[in-house]
């Protein structure tokens, strides 16, 4: 019997040679074979291998061909014979159905593209990406050094290599948060935002309304100028329907955003602003915008400004009649993906996939850790109880009545001696508070100073209580400057320690909250603090019933699962999702004012593929 290498050699001999094609998926033992050249004659082993393949049942041959690359090898295999052409068509349908079923049931697996020695794209986030004719195009974005790009890269999904096309024409400005869509053989780029430099004297932030098109055949950029242009936008949504590019929302700068709809007619090359009556979504940017069928656009989430994270959904009905907005009822909101404004979504069949961390699983794990961990006792200052020597309320002394332990002479000499003594044994609540504080040398000196002030104030009140006179007004407390100054010192001291106590309690609360966030590091495997989960939104009933359902999130954590990443791109390829770039950052920790690790900008390509029931 011929080996697997001979079988593949027979396949490649009867197909058209393609130097860019990858025969089979990585991990299959038959992937080590190479196709012979076009002029080489088939050997005896190749003829025997081809006869053996033709004698296999359709089920076995279908299983073998399902391991081919869907980007280039399907086309080559369909040219072998009519039987292979028929089987490959069935394999395409089955692989697509398996991908949709994996998204619905959560049977997905993360993969990382193996980098090669060829030139690679720079780390970036807030870029725009588009899948067009078996290539992934990436434009612009920001770097961690306050730099904005205007370069164009394409990822050859057959070879797993990055290619920077040699382009010409009028280049776009460096932009981030722009939109890139495909129409026929053109890529249309609109809007964007330029990152400011650390020194705004050289470059400040700017929002663009530039419109460019890129010809994928000639690799040429063209600037499109129209008499009527919309306002500069960033973080908006763009969808191509027939010969129209429909743009909704966007950031205009200075914390302002829009809920307007602009339509760019690609053939006529002009803009039209659509006016819609009735209820409409609030202004936003950073939302997900997908096309449902040929007559509806769904808007999911977004950001409406400071402290305005949105998770609502609106349906834009596009028909022959007037356009209209409809609010969508969201079911199972507890399963929704958090922070939809910085995690883009991608439409897969009748499902929208959003990749982000799972707050529900994280909170449940933190709660279980808190229940298993015994409570830590806290040291809290308790004020002392009042005793007989403590001042009590009395209207004659502005709210206090003194109780003397012994009689004091009325001479000023004895008063000055008593007030200048370093006696710390001063009764009352003030003395109890001072005794409960730490006994550092600096604190001891401060306690003595406060004790002298309390003793002097106590002496003055005892004299008033005994004589009932003070100066020329009987029955009133002393209003001498010395007594008022001592009382002011007492109030200032009490306010000082009150503020110190509040500050200490606030620091303890922040430390406890930070410990809760750190518990995530021991919850997930592979030392993942905030792993990303695949959240699925079912939109099959949106057009008919105006309802969308968040499905239950499944655990897909493995060795290739990335950490929480925001401002990445997510597009659909052939039977897989492609995630590129982004910045690893946990926004929830930043919003709570807790400690977070420095942001790490990425240029890694992740693939989300369905799990196979039969291991290759």
């Amino acid at each position: 019997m011929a080996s697997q290498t001979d079988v593949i050699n027979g396949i490649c001999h009867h197909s058209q040679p393609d130097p860019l094609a990858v025969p089979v998926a990585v991990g299959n033992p038959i992937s080590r074979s190479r196709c012979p050249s076009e002029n080489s004659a088939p050997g005896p082993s190749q003829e025997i291998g081809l006869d053996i393949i033709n004698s296999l049942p359709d089920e076995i041959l279908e299983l073998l061909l399902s391991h081919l690359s869907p980007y280039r090898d399907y086309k080559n295999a369909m040219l072998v014979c009519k039987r292979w052409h028929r089987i490959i068509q069935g394999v395409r349908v089955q692989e697509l159905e398996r991908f949709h079923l994996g998204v619905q049931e959560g049977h997905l697996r993360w993969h990382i593209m193996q980098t090669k020695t060829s030139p690679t794209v720079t780390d970036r986030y807030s870029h725009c990406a588009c899948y067009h004719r078996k290539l992934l195009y990436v434009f612009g974005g920001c770097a961690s050094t306050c730099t904005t790009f205007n370069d164009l890269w394409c990822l050859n999904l057959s070879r797993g290599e990055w290619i920077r096309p040699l382009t010409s024409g009028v280049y776009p400005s460096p932009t981030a948060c722009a939109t890139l869509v495909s129409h026929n053989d053109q890529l249309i780029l609109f809007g964007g935002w330029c990152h400011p430099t650390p020194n705004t004297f050289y470059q400040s932030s700017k929002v663009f309304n530039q419109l460019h098109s890129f010809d994928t055949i000639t690799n040429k950029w063209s600037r499109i100028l129209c008499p009527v242009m919309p306002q500069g936008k960033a973080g908006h949504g763009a969808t191509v329907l027939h010969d129209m590019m429909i743009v909704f929302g966007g950031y205009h700068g200075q914390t302002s955003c829009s809920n307007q709809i602009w339509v760019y007619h690609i053939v006529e090359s002009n803009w039209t602003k659509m006016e819609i009556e009735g209820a409409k979504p609030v202004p936003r940017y950073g939302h997900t915008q997908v096309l449902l069928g040929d007559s509806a656009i769904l808007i999911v989430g977004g950001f409406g400004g400071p402290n305005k994270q949105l998770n609502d959904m609106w349906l834009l009905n596009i028909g022959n009649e007037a356009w209209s907005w409809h609010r969508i009822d969201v079911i199972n909101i507890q399963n929704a993906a958090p922070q939809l404004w910085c995690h883009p979504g991608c439409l897969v069949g009748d499902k929208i996939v959003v990749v982000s961390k799972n707050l529900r699983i994280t909170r449940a794990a933190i709660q279980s850790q808190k229940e298993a961990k015994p409570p830590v006792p806290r040291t809290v200052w308790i004020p002392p109880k009042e005793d007989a020597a403590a001042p009590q309320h009395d209207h004659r002394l502005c709210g206090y009545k003194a109780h003397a332990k012994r009689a004091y002479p009325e001479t000023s000499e004895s008063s000055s001696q008593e007030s200048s003594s370093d006696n710390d044994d001063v009764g009352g609540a003030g003395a109890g508070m001072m005794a409960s504080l730490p006994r550092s040398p600096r604190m001891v000196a401060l306690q003595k100073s406060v004790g002298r002030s309390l003793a002097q104030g106590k002496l003055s009140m005892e004299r008033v209580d005994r004589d009932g006179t003070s100066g020329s007004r009987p029955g009133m407390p002393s209003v001498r400057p010395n007594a008022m100054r001592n009382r002011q010192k007492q109030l200032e001291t009490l306010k000082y320690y009150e503020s110190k106590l509040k500050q200490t309690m606030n620091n303890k609360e922040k430390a406890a909250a930070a410990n809760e966030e750190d518990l995530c590091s021991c919850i997930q495997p592979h030392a993942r603090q905030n792993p990303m989960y695949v959240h699925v939104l079912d939109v099959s009933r949106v057009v008919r019933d105006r309802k969308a359902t968040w499905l239950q999130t499944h655990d897909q954590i493995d060795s290739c699962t990335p950490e929480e990443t925001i401002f990445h791109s997510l597009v659909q390829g052939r039977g897989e999702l492609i995630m590129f770039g982004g910045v690893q950052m946990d926004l929830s920790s930043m919003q709570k004012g807790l400690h977070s690790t420095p942001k790490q900008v990425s240029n890694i390509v992740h693939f989300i593929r369905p799990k196979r029931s039969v291991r290759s």
Side-chain angles (χ1 to χ4, degrees):
M1 180 178 293
S3 62
Q4 292 178 335
T5 303
D6 297 331
V7 172
I8 295 301
N9 286 336
I11 295 175
C12 297
H13 173 72
H14 287 80
S15 61
Q16 292 183 356
D18 189 356
L20 301 181
V22 178
V24 291
V26 177
N28 197 322
I30 61 179
S31 63
R32 293 188 296 269
S33 62
R34 294 185 178 181
C35 299
S37 61
E38 184 178 4
N39 298 327
S40 61
S45 61
Q46 295 177 352
E47 294 179 355
I48 296 175
L50 186 59
D51 294 338
I52 294 177
I53 289 181
N54 292 331
S55 63
L56 293 176
D58 290 349
E59 292 79 5
I60 303 299
L61 184 58
E62 180 179 315
L63 178 61
L64 293 176
L65 296 179
S66 64
H67 291 274
L68 297 177
S69 173
Y71 295 100
R72 298 299 295 268
D73 294 336
Y74 280 0
K75 181 179 179 180
N76 295 334
M78 292 175 66
L79 300 176
V80 175
C81 60
K82 293 182 179 180
R83 183 191 179 197
W84 282 38
H85 187 279
R86 174 177 53 83
I87 293 178
I88 287 295
Q89 287 182 340
V91 168
R92 279 182 172 178
V93 176
Q94 290 184 3
E95 290 297 311
L96 185 59
E97 292 178 353
R98 188 168 64 91
F99 176 52
H100 291 174
L101 184 62
V103 170
Q104 180 177 354
E105 298 182 354
H107 296 162
L108 301 173
R109 187 175 181 86
W110 289 88
H111 299 267
I112 299 179
M113 187 186 75
Q114 300 294 332
T115 58
K116 299 183 179 180
T117 57
S118 60
T120 183
V121 64
T122 311
D123 303 345
R124 64 189 64 203
Y125 64 96
S126 296
H127 53 277
C128 53
C130 177
Y131 175 80
H132 179 71
R133 298 190 184 278
K134 309 172 187 177
L135 296 175
L136 175 66
Y137 288 89
V138 175
F139 176 82
C142 297
S144 58
T145 57
C146 301
T147 304
T148 310
F149 303 108
N150 68 336
D151 53 349
L152 179 68
W153 291 79
C154 64
L155 175 62
N156 190 326
L157 296 172
S158 299
R159 302 175 57 181
E161 294 181 353
W162 284 102
I163 301 173
R164 185 170 183 179
L166 298 177
T167 60
S168 60
V170 181
Y171 287 80
S173 301
T175 56
C177 300
T179 54
L180 185 68
V181 296
S182 63
H183 178 263
N184 296 335
D185 290 328
Q186 289 185 345
L187 302 180
I188 302 176
L189 176 71
F190 174 67
W193 170 76
C194 183
H195 200 291
T197 58
N199 189 348
T200 56
F201 176 78
Y202 297 100
Q203 175 181 322
S204 59
S205 61
K206 184 179 180 181
V207 181
F208 298 96
N209 66 343
Q210 298 178 0
L211 181 65
H212 289 79
S213 66
F214 178 76
D215 194 330
T216 58
I217 305 299
T218 61
N219 291 341
K220 183 178 181 180
W221 283 103
S222 301
R223 174 81 180 270
I224 302 175
L225 299 176
C226 302
V228 178
M229 295 285 292
Q231 188 178 358
K233 298 176 181 293
H236 53 281
T239 304
V240 173
L241 176 60
H242 304 305
D243 292 332
M244 300 183 300
M245 183 180 70
I246 303 173
V247 177
F248 168 75
Y251 170 77
H252 294 165
Q254 301 297 329
T255 67
S256 65
C257 50
S258 170
N259 61 350
Q260 299 176 355
I261 298 178
W262 285 82
V263 178
Y264 172 66
H265 302 276
I266 302 176
V267 178
E268 294 82 2
S269 186
N270 55 34
W271 287 92
T272 302
K273 182 180 179 181
M274 303 299 298
E275 299 291 345
I276 301 178
E277 301 294 337
K280 60 183 65 177
V282 298
R284 66 188 66 198
Y285 60 93
H287 53 275
T288 296
Q289 180 173 327
V290 297
L291 178 65
L292 300 181
D294 293 334
S295 60
I297 292 179
L298 181 64
I299 306 297
V300 180
F303 195 77
N307 300 324
K308 291 183 180 179
Q309 297 187 24
L310 306 174
N311 57 2
D312 56 344
M313 302 180 190
W314 290 80
L315 182 69
L316 177 61
N317 189 8
I318 304 173
N320 297 328
E321 301 178 355
W323 293 10
S324 59
W325 283 106
H326 302 278
R327 189 181 180 91
I328 303 301
D329 296 333
V330 183
I331 304 175
N332 295 337
I333 191 65
Q334 68 275 6
N335 297 331
Q339 300 168 347
L340 293 171
W341 66 278
C342 57
H343 296 91
C346 180
L347 182 65
V348 179
D350 56 358
K351 308 292 189 299
I352 294 180
V353 178
V354 180
V355 184
S356 67
K357 70 176 184 179
N358 192 331
L359 290 181
R360 184 180 179 184
I361 296 179
T362 303
R363 290 171 180 171
I366 291 177
Q367 184 65 25
S368 62
Q369 291 287 337
K370 291 174 63 178
E371 294 176 356
K373 187 176 180 180
V376 179
R378 295 184 178 181
T379 304
V380 181
W381 174 77
I382 301 176
K385 297 181 179 180
E386 294 185 355
D387 52 9
Q392 297 180 358
H393 185 76
D394 189 84
H395 294 286
R396 296 181 302 165
L397 302 179
C398 299
Y400 292 95
K401 179 180 179 180
H403 295 267
K405 290 185 178 180
R406 65 179 186 270
Y408 289 87
E410 296 183 4
T411 60
S412 60
E413 181 180 358
S414 62
S415 299
S416 61
Q417 291 177 357
E418 184 68 24
S419 61
S420 61
S421 64
D422 293 337
N423 183 19
D424 294 335
D425 188 13
V426 181
M433 182 187 70
M434 298 301 297
S436 64
L437 296 175
R439 302 286 296 180
S440 62
R442 184 177 180 183
M443 189 61 66
V444 170
L446 182 59
Q447 291 177 8
K448 292 181 179 180
S449 176
V450 175
R452 290 194 298 268
S453 300
L454 293 176
Q456 187 173 1
K458 179 179 178 181
L459 175 61
S460 301
M461 290 187 291
E462 287 177 347
R463 293 174 60 186
V464 172
D465 182 58
R466 182 186 60 190
D467 299 339
T469 60
S470 177
S472 60
R473 300 182 62 184
M476 297 298 294
S478 174
V479 292
R480 290 180 298 177
N482 190 24
M484 297 300 296
R485 185 167 57 253
N486 292 336
R487 182 165 298 178
Q488 185 67 23
K489 289 182 179 179
Q490 297 175 25
L491 296 177
E492 292 176 357
T493 304
L494 293 176
K495 290 181 179 179
Y496 171 77
Y497 285 108
E498 182 182 4
S499 63
K500 293 289 291 183
L501 181 61
K502 289 182 179 180
Q503 183 178 1
T504 303
M505 297 301 296
N506 292 335
N507 293 336
K508 289 183 178 180
E509 292 178 358
K510 290 183 179 180
N515 292 334
E516 291 181 357
E517 293 291 334
D518 293 338
L519 289 177
C520 299
S521 59
C522 58
I523 295 173
Q524 303 295 347
H526 310 292
R528 296 290 193 275
Q529 294 184 357
N530 293 297
M532 303 189 76
Y533 290 80
V534 178
H535 301 264
V536 180
L537 176 65
D538 187 357
V539 295
S540 58
R541 299 191 300 164
V542 167
V543 178
R544 183 180 68 255
D545 301 332
R546 306 288 191 265
K547 293 182 180 180
T549 305
W550 285 101
L551 303 182
Q552 184 178 0
T553 305
H554 299 272
D555 187 2
Q556 305 104 7
I557 305 302
D558 52 39
S559 59
C560 298
T561 303
E563 289 282 353
E564 167 69 0
T565 305
I566 60 176
F567 302 126
H568 55 271
S569 61
L570 186 67
V571 298
Q572 180 183 2
R574 289 192 171 183
E576 61 186 8
L577 288 172
I578 308 171
M579 171 183 163
F580 168 71
V583 52
Q584 293 184 1
M585 181 186 302
D586 186 10
L587 285 180
S588 59
S589 299
M590 294 182 58
Q591 293 169 355
K592 295 178 182 178
L594 303 177
H595 174 72
S596 60
T597 58
K599 60 181 182 180
Q600 299 178 0
V601 184
S602 171
N603 67 342
I604 302 177
V605 180
H606 289 87
F607 296 97
I608 305 177
R609 297 166 180 165
K611 296 180 180 179
R612 290 187 177 272
S613 58
V614 179
R615 297 183 60 90
S616 57

